[in-house]
Amino acid sequence: MRSWRPDLTEKDVTPKETYLRRREILQMGAAGATTLLVPSLAKAGEPQGQQLTVARKIEKAGGEGLTSWDSVTGYNNFYELASDKESPARSAGSLKVRPWTVSVEGEVKQPQKIDIETLLRWFPLEERIYRMRCVEAWSMVIPWTGFPLADLVKRLEPTSRARFIAFETLFDPEQLPGQKRPLLSWPYIEGLRIDEATHPLAFLSVGLYGRVLPGQNGAPLRLVVPWKYGFKGIKSIVRITFQETQPKTAWAASQPSEYGFYANVNPEVDHPRWSQARERRIGEFLRRKTLPFNGYADEVVSLYSGMDLRKNF
Ligand code: MTE
């Protein structure tokens, strides 16, 4: 999320769809440009990978069109793989997603190591279509496949002392070479208050578009919290710790004036480098207004009653 080229503004960025098709556009030249919309191109965007069985579908994006598979899987923030948006898709092969275990620790009835296959057997998979908003002021509509985080929390039986949950990404600089550079203090850590984690919208994803989650999107297990900025959605989770104290999350620890623990989408509180009032939906040209809590205010605002959301950003 760091601004590597502070002289560039959002307006300078090539729209993703154009970027993805740059080779085709270059090869065809002006004469061929009118044939850009032929069906073979539509094919390029078809979801790929192993299909998952989805028990039910829940639409939570007000019927808005889905962001294309190519954009969701080709324009990523995954700093352990690369610090630009396009490389994670190309380099995700270095991440080995099997075998994969998630260690459950801290204030729970029984700390344990859970194999990802066991986790997948515990919960029927759902599709959740969510609006997603990145702190860099772009957004997408994504059909996630996974299960409610609340179901896992309930099954793990936290003790009465558990007030927060910390999540941790795999630390393995061979598989995630970005960890050889000190961009953040690795491993990536994120966290939620326990009442946020058990809110029905909080989700653990194992897939996209009904297919197994690609590495660049956080395979095999990542968090999805649609009313918060995208950086809360920690990828490739290997540890879940129930604790009394607020976790020291990676971005908030590295730049406390820029990134808070809560990170609720809030058009009234700007990031020092990005206005949060508007956003560019990937695939669209005109920017749109950002909604408080990313449009989920009715469902989540009660979690924050009595809190100053300017201070607790
Ligand atoms: N998780 C890890 N481990 N490392 C990261 O760099 N980037 C975050 C979040 N989760 C990140 C991460 C940010 S800034 C965003 S916007 C989302 O992942 C992007 O998710 P996507 O690539 O699936 O859209």
Side-chain angles (χ1 to χ4, degrees):
M1 279 181 295
R2 280 196 178 161
S3 177
W4 300 102
R5 289 163 298 177
D7 49 327
L8 284 183
T9 70
E10 215 188 316
K11 286 194 231 81
D12 299 311
V13 176
T14 309
K16 183 60 193 165
E17 311 294 343
T18 314
Y19 180 83
L20 283 171
R21 288 153 71 180
R22 66 201 181 283
R23 263 188 220 103
E24 289 157 297
I25 292 167
L26 286 174
Q27 279 164 13
M28 290 160 95
T34 47
T35 60
L36 266 176
L37 296 172
V38 295
S40 65
L41 277 180
K43 250 190 145 179
E46 274 168 23
Q48 290 163 23
Q50 192 198 326
Q51 213 145 3
L52 296 165
T53 307
V54 174
R56 61 172 184 160
K57 298 189 177 193
I58 302 174
E59 210 284 336
K60 291 294 250 172
E64 289 189 47
L66 302 181
T67 303
S68 72
W69 166 266
D70 280 355
S71 292
V72 177
T73 61
Y75 189 78
N76 302 101
N77 274 334
F78 199 162
Y79 289 90
E80 292 92 324
L81 287 172
S83 52
D84 68 309
K85 312 279 186 247
E86 284 75 29
S87 305
R90 288 191 294 266
S91 57
S94 61
L95 173 63
K96 291 188 210 74
V97 297
R98 290 292 189 284
W100 191 275
T101 44
V102 180
S103 178
V104 174
E105 300 176 13
E107 295 292 342
V108 272
K109 190 173 176 190
Q110 196 195 337
Q112 56 188 299
K113 289 195 183 353
I114 309 167
D115 187 76
I116 186 78
E117 313 297 352
T118 306
L119 210 52
L120 287 167
R121 270 197 304 276
W122 281 355
F123 308 107
L125 297 181
E126 297 177 3
E127 178 170 283
R128 293 279 184 102
I129 299 177
Y130 282 157
R131 284 182 293 265
M132 303 301 297
R133 170 64 158 77
C134 180
V135 74
E136 292 163 310
W138 47 265
S139 61
M140 299 190 183
V141 177
I142 302 185
W144 299 106
T145 311
F147 52 90
L149 174 55
D151 291 357
L152 177 63
V153 173
K154 199 168 151 200
R155 181 161 183 140
L156 295 174
E157 296 184 62
T159 72
S160 59
R161 281 188 297 276
R163 290 186 51 232
F164 294 91
I165 307 181
F167 302 86
E168 213 175 291
T169 294
L170 172 73
F171 180 73
D172 182 339
E174 293 312 311
Q175 293 187 51
L176 297 171
Q179 292 172 334
K180 293 176 184 167
R181 295 185 295 273
L183 170 64
L184 288 175
S185 143
W186 309 112
Y188 198 104
I189 291 176
E190 258 310 331
L192 294 171
R193 239 172 34 199
I194 204 124
D195 58 340
E196 296 179 313
T198 51
H199 188 283
L201 287 173
F203 203 60
L204 283 170
S205 166
V206 297
L208 275 181
Y209 273 92
R211 308 294 177 123
V212 165
L213 200 61
Q216 63 270 29
N217 292 96
L221 181 74
R222 62 89 57 85
L223 181 63
V224 176
V225 197
W227 69 95
K228 294 180 180 282
Y229 292 116
F231 69 87
K232 295 296 285 183
I234 182 172
K235 298 179 170 181
S236 308
I237 298 168
V238 293
R239 182 169 290 119
I240 298 179
T241 309
F242 291 78
Q243 55 193 61
E244 272 186 279
T245 51
Q246 185 172 301
K248 288 191 177 39
T249 55
W251 286 105
S254 87
Q255 284 143 298
S257 61
E258 300 195 2
Y259 305 103
F261 174 78
Y262 283 95
N264 293 315
V265 174
N266 188 344
E268 289 176 10
V269 177
D270 286 336
H271 181 280
R273 281 180 278 127
W274 300 284
S275 162
Q276 299 300 350
R278 303 180 76 80
E279 66 198 59
R280 194 170 71 80
R281 184 64 51 83
I282 299 294
E284 294 180 358
F285 286 94
L286 294 178
R287 293 202 293 160
R288 50 169 76 206
K289 276 189 171 165
T290 288
L291 301 172
F293 298 100
N294 203 23
Y296 299 102
D298 288 353
E299 289 164 82
V300 300
V301 74
S302 62
L303 290 170
Y304 309 103
S305 57
M307 276 176 67
D308 180 345
L309 297 177
R310 287 188 172 273
K311 279 196 190 126
N312 296 287
F313 57 94

